[in-house]
Amino acid sequence: VWDGRGFNGTSSDIANKSNAYISALQKHSIIGVVKHYPGGSIDTADPHKYVVERKIIDDDIFPFLMSFKNAKGVMVGHVVASGEIDSNGKPCSVSKECIDSIRNSGFNGLIITDEVNMKGLRNFYKSKEEIYIDLINSGNDIILDFSLTPRRLDKLLKQLEIDITSGKIDIEKVDESVTKILNAKGYILR
């Protein structure tokens, strides 16, 4: 699953290759996104199939920090991180601590989840509703869910409306994310 999905070399080599790739994408009006923060998922078990735990070291984070100066988005993986980034025992994609570490680095772009039906995330929850509540409240701007059909999307939106009204989801986080998405698309908000 990993062949061709990452750059090889030292952390500096990876940062340089990533920044060159992102610059080329954005030169052609494609939003450059780095993935899978905080790193360490390519040389571990497959998070599509398993819950993956990884001790994060400086070399894992360095390419991201260098790419954050250039990228417009970051995809957060489902690795359960310890070490330099600590996801507090849960997948990074639902960890406020992990997502705050991105924002605290000065990154202001879009924060995007990895696909939410991967077992590395799903195995932590009883329901999709719980996943979405944590994904939104932890600070993600875009949620990737490849299982949504029009019917499932309609049902999900109705549930999200209930969760916002009941206070389970912070409406300010939703508004903030919508604004960031529109800005990334180049809309001028008045």
Side-chain angles (χ1 to χ4, degrees):
V1 71
W2 302 127
D3 289 344
R5 295 186 68 187
F7 294 116
N8 294 321
T10 67
S11 60
S12 292
D13 293 339
I14 294 167
N16 290 333
K17 291 173 187 177
S18 176
N19 275 316
Y21 185 74
I22 290 167
S23 293
L25 288 173
Q26 292 178 167
K27 180 179 177 185
H28 297 283
S29 301
I30 299 169
I31 294 173
V33 177
V34 294
K35 65 179 195 172
H36 298 89
Y37 187 84
S41 60
I42 288 182
D43 58 358
T44 59
D46 183 353
H48 295 89
K49 300 176 184 176
Y50 310 101
V51 172
V52 176
E53 295 183 15
R54 175 75 194 291
K55 185 171 182 177
I56 302 299
I57 60 173
D58 286 333
D59 280 351
D60 293 321
I61 302 166
F62 179 79
F64 290 98
L65 296 177
M66 294 300 101
S67 297
F68 285 169
K69 298 173 185 174
N70 193 17
K72 303 291 184 206
V74 58
M75 178 181 283
V76 180
H78 301 314
V79 65
V80 178
S82 62
E84 292 299 314
I85 300 294
D86 189 340
S87 63
N88 205 16
K90 51 190 167 181
C92 281
S93 55
V94 291
S95 167
K96 184 169 178 6
E97 294 84 359
C98 187
I99 292 173
D100 283 350
S101 74
I102 296 169
R103 291 214 167 90
N104 292 339
S105 74
F107 181 75
N108 295 315
L110 295 170
I111 298 177
I112 305 164
T113 71
D114 203 347
E115 210 283 326
V116 299
N117 292 294
M118 294 167 60
K119 290 184 180 176
L121 177 63
R122 289 291 307 248
N123 287 351
F124 270 78
Y125 290 91
K126 293 179 183 170
S127 72
K128 204 150 200 185
E129 177 190 357
E130 293 173 318
I131 293 173
Y132 269 83
I133 290 169
D134 283 357
L135 288 169
I136 294 168
N137 287 336
S138 63
N140 290 287
D141 298 310
I142 296 175
I143 298 169
L144 297 183
D145 187 337
F146 300 157
S147 73
L148 291 178
T149 62
R151 181 182 298 214
R152 287 181 182 162
L153 178 59
D154 184 57
K155 183 178 175 184
L156 174 65
L157 290 173
K158 287 177 181 169
Q159 183 60 53
L160 290 174
E161 185 177 358
I162 291 167
D163 291 339
I164 289 168
T165 303
S166 70
K168 290 180 182 177
I169 293 176
D170 183 351
I171 187 65
E172 290 180 16
K173 288 195 183 300
V174 174
D175 290 342
E176 192 177 290
S177 292
V178 169
T179 300
K180 284 176 68 178
I181 293 165
L182 292 174
N183 285 333
K185 288 182 169 193
Y187 289 95
I188 298 173
L189 300 177
R190 297 172 194 206

